[in-house]
Structures are given as C-alpha cells and as structure tokens.
C-alpha cells in the first residue's frame, strides 16, 4: 500500500508540474474551483437567504433596486437579493451539471468499452443507438421528455428529472470517443501479451484498457459537465426547472418573465448569464487542456520522439 | 518423466481470409486467403532449442500466435507434452485448456517497446502472470518471486526497478523485463519471437546469453524465432528454415549449417558474415521478390527465385524428404 501511495504522489506531482505551466488550464481550473467553493460555502458568502424579501424602513419590499450597499447586486421584482440567489443558484446548476455529467460519463464509458472491446453485436447496437440520438435534435427531444415526465406525477423533484434526462441522453459522444480509443488499444501488443499470459477479459479491461482511457474519461467528463450545465440553464430558462430552487437558468427565466429588460434592470439578468459563462468557460478550458495533457497517444511516445530529435540533430551536424 | 516431446505440431495451417470488395462478392468470386502458415510440422524436445529461420513475412509470428491461442488454427494439431490443446475454451476432456497452456508456455515478443503497458510499473508487469494464475499466496510471496525473477533476468538490484515505468528503461532492459515476466511462472516452453531483432547489436549477445543461461538452469525448451542465421549456430540444437508458410529444411543445427540441401537455405547461409575470409562462400543473391502468400506459385513455391530451378519444379510441389542424420529438405535435388 505504501508504495502505491508513493507512486500516486509521484504521478500527481508530475502532473501538477506539467499543469502549472499551462496558463489556460490554470485559468479554467480557477474558474471551476471558485464556482465550486462558492456553491459549497454559500451561506457564508450571502447576506440574505435567497428567498428573503428585503424591506425598506416602511416595510415595503425593495423591488427592482439597483446595486447598493444593502443588496450588492440589486434586487428582483419581489425585492429578493440577486447576489444571494446567484450564489445559491450555483448549488443547483453545479449539482445538476455534475450529476448529469457523471451519469453520462458512466454510461458512455461502459458502452464505449464494451463496444470497442467485444465488438460484434454490442458494437452494432451501440452504433445504431448513437446514430438515432445524433440525428434527433437534442433540445426539442429533451423539452418533450422533461415536460412529459413532469406531467406524470412522479413525486420527484423536477431537478432529478433534469439530471436523468440530460444524463441519459448525453452519453453517446463519450461512448463513441471511448470506443474508438479502445479499438486501437486492444490491438496493442501488450494486450496480446497479457492474453497470452492467460489473462481474462475482465483483467485486461481493468488493468490495461481502463488505465489508458481514464485520462480521456476525466477530460471528457469535464467537457460533458459544461454541456450539462448549459442544457440545464436552457431548460430552466424555458421554465422547466424547479421554481422553488432557482438555478441560473431559472433566474434568467424570472428576469424575462418580469420584464427586467424593458425595466432596464440589467443587474437582474446579467449576473446569471455571466455565471453560466464563467463555469462553462472554466470547464471547457480545463477539459481541453486535460485532454491535451493526458491523451495517451501523446504521452506514450514522448521518449521515442525525443530520441528521433537527437538523431536528426546529429545528422544535421555532420 | 515421459519421453514425449514438449511441443509437437502436426500439419498446422493458418489462412487469413481477405476482405472482399462488394463487387467481387456480387461476381461470386472466391474469397482470397493469405496462406500465412501452410502445413507446418515439427517437434521440440525437453531442454532443446529449435530455431525457426526465415525472411520477413514467411509466417513465423503467425506460428507463435497460433501456438499460444491468439489465433485459431485453420487446421492441424498442436500437442503440448502429448496432450492436444483445446480450441476456444470448449472444455474438452483429455485436452489441455488454453488457460493451463498459457501458464506453462510463455511468449517473448519481438518489440520490447510495444509489449509493455506504458502505464504499468515493472512490478505490475512482472507480477501479472502470478496474479492472473493466482500463484502467489500473499503479497510477500508475490514480491519475493518478482524480485527473484528480475534478478535472474539480470536486473539487479531488483528494488531499483520495481516502481519504474517502461519508458524509463532502455530497450535491452525492457526485453529483460519481458523475459522476467515470462520466466516468473517457471514455464516449460518459451516462445521467443525474434527477441533481439529490435535491439542494438551490442545488447543482442547479452540477451541471447541470458536465454541460454535460463535454458541451462531451468531446463526449459525454447522455440527461437529469428531471421538471422548468424546468431543461431551456437545456441540452437535444431534448425528449421521457413519459406512462405512452409518449412523447407529442418534438422540438427550443425548438420544443416554444414550440409545445406535446399537452395534457399544455401542462399541464406551465403550472406551470413563469416569472420574468416578464407571460409567465405560465394554469395548467392536471390533475384525476384518474395511472392506474396496470397497467390502462391504452382509447383515448388521457391522456383521463381531458385537459381537451380528446373522445369519439373514448376509442376512438382516437393514435400520434406529425408536426407539422413534426421535432416530433411523439401527439394527435388536433395539427396
Ligand atoms: N491478422 C492477419 N490478417 C491477414 N494477414 C495476416 C495477419 N497476420 C499476418 N498476416 C500475413 O501473414 C503473413 C505472415 O506474417 P507473419 O507476421 O507471421 O510474418 P513473420 O515471418 O513473423 O515476419 P517478420 O519477420 O517481419 O516478423 C504475412 O504476409 C502477413 O501479411
Ligand atoms: Mg514476426
């Protein structure tokens, strides 16, 4: 156990050393991390509860108030603090995004590995399902699904419905990506050697395939999370979110419902939009950089290419 | 101890069907096949080394892959210590299962850069066979056996290597790791597929000496595949020369080297560098390209390139004939 821990620490350290030098990756990591911290410590960062109505000395609600010392980002049509809603909204948006992203990643990786490794019928089935899902436009399909499921009296929070609909529809691109990677990895000679040693399929997948594609899965998950957050915002904006627990999308929905734009209440609709951009941009930057850094094809041969470079330089020197 | 050979191969065929184009399928053309291995028989006794020599593409790797069950033989029998090897996990009685076979027969691939998982440590790699076959009772035993195997393969002290990754090792060290992983189960037969051809010339002798030492100390048999006749002389007891999926000459190494019967063997021998210039033979440079194993020539498959080809060779597909001293050659001129 001790050695494994040492090995893990060493790998982590080497990863950090490479990551630290990447400016875009650091920026992405910073954006995502601040959002997660804000969501985690929401009660400490907000002066009011998100549903609390701020009242003036006469006891009237402070509606459509611009940013001031009382409400740092102003108030909405009912006199509730925008800043508090924004921070608490991060909880909903991130939770839906992460959960849906993980579901999509799990299903996608599972199908991708099975289809790539075993081929045959599973592969055919996967490719047909992904074909079908690829040609159907996502947003209308999800709208219909979410709307129908909400009609059905399932006694679950609308957020759970969102999580599952997004998660169950967004795994196809991951599955295809993983499948193509597995297809190349399983032809590698070390997999053949492992088979020749007598290893079974489970052993080969666990010990040789999974470690190779894990980085890809991680990078892809981050990207999927950003998509999931965007879609959640879109659906919530169209009124399919949970009105009792507003996410950023739901805040935008309120803002447009209560004609914040015509009232010139920019503090009502700009912050949630900005927050969505903040997180998704962070995820995309982080995901792309991780993908570049962890791509097995790029790392496996770095020594060989170095040797080639030396050889070429020598030849030029002659 | 039984007198049965460790490995016996009888009439092994391995044909790969080629992908057919739609047009050809509609025309009902017969599917073309690559005759990678085309009727090969040989046997290997305990503690002996059989060298299989032949130029690139003649089917050497395919034989090894078929022997260990990575490819399914088209036809033919493979017997391990007199027991037939079952095909595709069917649990037939009296046959040895693939899993058992893979415990007692180990393989060393050609390319040490490709045959090690880049994300596994040396410990993971060498312990893998033990883990797969459940051969170590606990972690301490696992550790002890991995270390012993590494040291035996010449990686000393073993502790220095356990937590390294393959890309931190040189080609020769990697091949030693592969050999350590192959020897950790104490196999009875080692299939070595050109174990040194990807290595630097200076390291080749070391690896060959290592294999030789392991053979002496453990008494294992080795099927040694190579395309370099120069290295096999003092190492292999028997020599088989392959051409386009067939063995064209086989016999005790000294006998074949001294008295080559098949023109192909002579051509191969003539280009082996000999240190003593007085002993140098006249070089026989073969003309023409290797015919591809899809459209095999009629008659003797070597006749288009054979310097001694006669009209008869175009018609007669000569099989191996005895020429004395356990020496066989597949040539009309062999006597
Ligand atoms: N999976 C396959 N599908 C189709 N043809 C194959 C396959 N594997 C090998 N072959 C063909 O079989 C023939 C023999 O290949 P093999 O790899 O056994 O040669 P080899 O003697 O090991 O050559 P080398 O010395 O270059 O390693 C070649 O013509 C090759 O193209
Ligand atoms: Mg080969």
């Amino acid at each position: 156990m001790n050695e494994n821990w040492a090995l893990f620490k060493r790998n982590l350290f080497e990863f950090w050393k490479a990551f630290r030098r990447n400016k875009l990756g650091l920026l992405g990591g910073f954006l995502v991390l601040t959002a997660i911290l804000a969501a985690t410590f929401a009660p400490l960062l907000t002066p009011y509860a998100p549903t609390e109505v701020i009242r003036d000395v006469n006891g009237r609600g402070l509606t459509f108030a611009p940013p001031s010392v009382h409400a740092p980002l102003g108030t909405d049509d009912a006199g509730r603090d925008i800043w508090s809603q924004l921070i608490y909204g991060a909880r909903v948006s991130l939770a839906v995004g992460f959960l849906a992203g993980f579901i999509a990643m799990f299903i996608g990786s599972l199908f991708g590995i099975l289809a790539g490794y075993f081929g045959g019928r599973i592969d055919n089935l996967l490719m047909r399902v992904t074909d079908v899902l690829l040609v159907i436009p996502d947003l209308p399909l999800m709208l219909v699904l979410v709307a129908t499921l909400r009609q059905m009296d399932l006694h679950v929070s609308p957020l759970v419905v969102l999580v599952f609909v997004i998660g169950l529809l967004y795994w196809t691109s991951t599955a295809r990506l993983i499948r193509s990677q597995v297809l190349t990895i399983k032809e590698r000679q070390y997999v053949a050697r492992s088979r020749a040693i007598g290893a079974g399929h489970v052993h080969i997948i666990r010990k040789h395939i999974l470690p190779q594609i894990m980085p890809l899965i991680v990078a892809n998950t981050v990207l999927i999370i950003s998509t999931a957050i965007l879609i959640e915002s879109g659906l919530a904006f169209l009124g399919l979110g949970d009105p009792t627990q507003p996410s950023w999308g739901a805040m935008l929905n309120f803002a447009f419902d209560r004609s914040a734009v015509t009232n010139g209440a920019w503090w009502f609709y700009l912050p949630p939009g900005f927050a969505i951009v903040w997180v998704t941009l962070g995820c995309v930057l982080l995901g792309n950089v991780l993908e570049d850094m962890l791509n097995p094809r790029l790392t496996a041969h770095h020594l060989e290419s170095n040797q080639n470079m030396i050889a070429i330089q020598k030849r030029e020197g002659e | 101890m039984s007198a049965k050979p460790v490995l016996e191969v009888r009439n092994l065929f391995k044909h790969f069907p080629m992908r057919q184009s739609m047009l050809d399928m509609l025309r009902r053309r017969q599917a073309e096949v690559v005759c990678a291995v085309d009727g090969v028989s040989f046997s290997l006794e305990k503690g002996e080394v059989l060298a299989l020599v032949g130029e690139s593409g003649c089917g050497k790797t395919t034989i090894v892959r078929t022997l260990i069950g990575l490819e399914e033989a088209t036809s033919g029998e493979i017997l391990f210590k007199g027991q037939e090897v079952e095909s595709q996990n069917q649990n037939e009685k009296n046959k040895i299962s693939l899993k058992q076979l893979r415990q007692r027969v180990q393989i060393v691939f050609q390319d040490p850069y490709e045959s090690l998982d880049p994300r596994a440590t040396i410990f993971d790699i060498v312990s893998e066979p033990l883990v797969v076959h459940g051969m170590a009772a606990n972690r301490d035993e696992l550790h002890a056996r991995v270390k012993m195997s590494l040291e035996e393969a010449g990686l000393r002290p073993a502790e220095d290597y356990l937590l390294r990754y393959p890309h931190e090792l040189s080609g020769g060290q990697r091949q030693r790791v592969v050999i350590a992983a192959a020897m950790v189960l104490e196999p009875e037969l080692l299939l070595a597929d050109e174990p040194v051809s990807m290595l630097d010339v200076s390291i080749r002798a070391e690896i060959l000496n290592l294999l030789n030492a392991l053979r002496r100390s453990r008494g294992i048999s080795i099927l040694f595949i190579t395309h370099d006749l120069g290295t096999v002389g003092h190492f292999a007891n028997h020599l088989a020369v392959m051409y386009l999926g067939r063995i064209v000459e086989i016999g005790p190494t000294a006998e074949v080297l001294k008295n080559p019967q098949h023109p192909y063997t002579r051509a191969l021998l003539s280009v082996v560098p000999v240190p003593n210039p007085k002993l140098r033979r006249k070089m026989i440079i073969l003309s023409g390209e290797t015919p591809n194993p899809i459209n095999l020539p009629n008659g003797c498959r070597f006749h288009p390139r054979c310097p001694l080809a006669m009209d008869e060779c175009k018609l007669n597909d000569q099989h191996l004939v005895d020429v004395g001293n356990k020496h066989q050659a597949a040539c009309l001129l062999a006597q």
Side-chain angles (χ1 to χ4, degrees), chain B residues 76-289:
Chain B
E77 282 171 74
I78 300 166
L79 291 102
F80 181 72
K81 297 192 127 181
Q83 263 185 314
E84 211 176 315
V85 178
E86 63 158 27
S87 49
Q88 296 300 308
N89 292 321
Q90 274 158 350
N91 269 333
E92 291 154 280
K93 273 184 198 148
N94 305 326
K95 291 195 180 177
I96 181 170
S97 77
L98 260 185
K99 178 121 182 171
Q100 279 173 317
L101 180 82
R102 287 170 174 178
Q103 182 180 337
R104 293 157 74 178
V105 179
Q106 292 290 319
I107 185 164
V108 173
F109 282 112
Q110 184 167 2
D111 186 348
Y113 293 89
E114 256 289 296
S115 56
L116 297 178
D117 185 341
R119 285 179 190 269
T121 60
I122 305 306
F123 175 78
D124 292 337
I125 290 164
V126 181
S127 64
E128 187 178 15
L130 293 169
V131 173
V132 164
H133 291 282
M135 298 289 284
N138 52 44
R139 232 188 130 69
D140 288 339
E141 192 189 333
L142 195 66
H143 251 267
R145 287 186 69 168
V146 167
K147 269 186 213 161
M148 206 177 74
S149 200
L150 279 173
E151 306 220 321
E152 217 172 333
L155 296 171
R156 294 186 204 100
E159 275 88 359
D160 286 0
Y161 293 92
L162 290 181
L163 291 187
R164 291 221 227 157
Y165 286 95
H167 70 83
E168 299 170 281
L169 302 184
S170 72
Q173 285 171 327
R174 286 184 202 211
Q175 201 61 302
R176 284 175 193 271
V177 171
V178 175
I179 293 172
M183 298 309 294
V184 77
L185 283 176
E186 300 179 356
E188 291 156 74
L189 171 63
L190 190 67
L191 308 174
D193 184 7
E194 309 198 32
V196 295
S197 66
M198 303 285 284
L199 299 179
D200 211 84
V201 180
S202 57
I203 310 166
R204 288 187 184 176
E206 287 177 28
I207 298 286
L208 287 178
N209 287 340
L210 169 65
L211 285 176
N212 213 4
L214 287 171
R215 172 173 69 113
R216 289 235 185 79
S217 61
R218 300 268 187 91
I220 54 171
S221 319
I222 301 180
L223 178 63
F224 185 82
I225 290 182
T226 174
H227 53 228
D228 177 13
L229 260 177
T231 54
V232 299
H234 39 269
F235 181 51
N237 310 77
H238 290 270
L239 180 62
V241 179
M242 257 188 101
Y243 186 75
L244 275 188
R246 276 244 184 107
I247 291 181
V248 294
E249 183 153 12
I250 185 168
T253 311
E255 169 67 27
V256 174
L257 291 182
K258 203 171 65 201
N259 187 17
Q261 289 297 318
H262 199 281
Y264 181 62
T265 316
R266 283 187 210 152
L268 284 184
L269 276 174
S270 73
V271 293
V272 172
V274 182
N276 185 345
K278 281 186 199 152
L279 292 178
R280 243 174 234 165
R281 309 168 215 229
K282 204 173 130 236
M283 289 239 253
I284 307 170
I285 306 291
L286 291 175
S287 56
E289 279 177 37

Side-chain angles (χ1 to χ4, degrees), chain A residues 96-115:
Chain A
V96 173
F98 273 73
L99 288 177
F102 282 128
I103 292 178
M105 178 225 34
F106 184 78
I107 301 178
S109 310
L110 190 73
F111 268 90
I113 291 173
L114 292 182

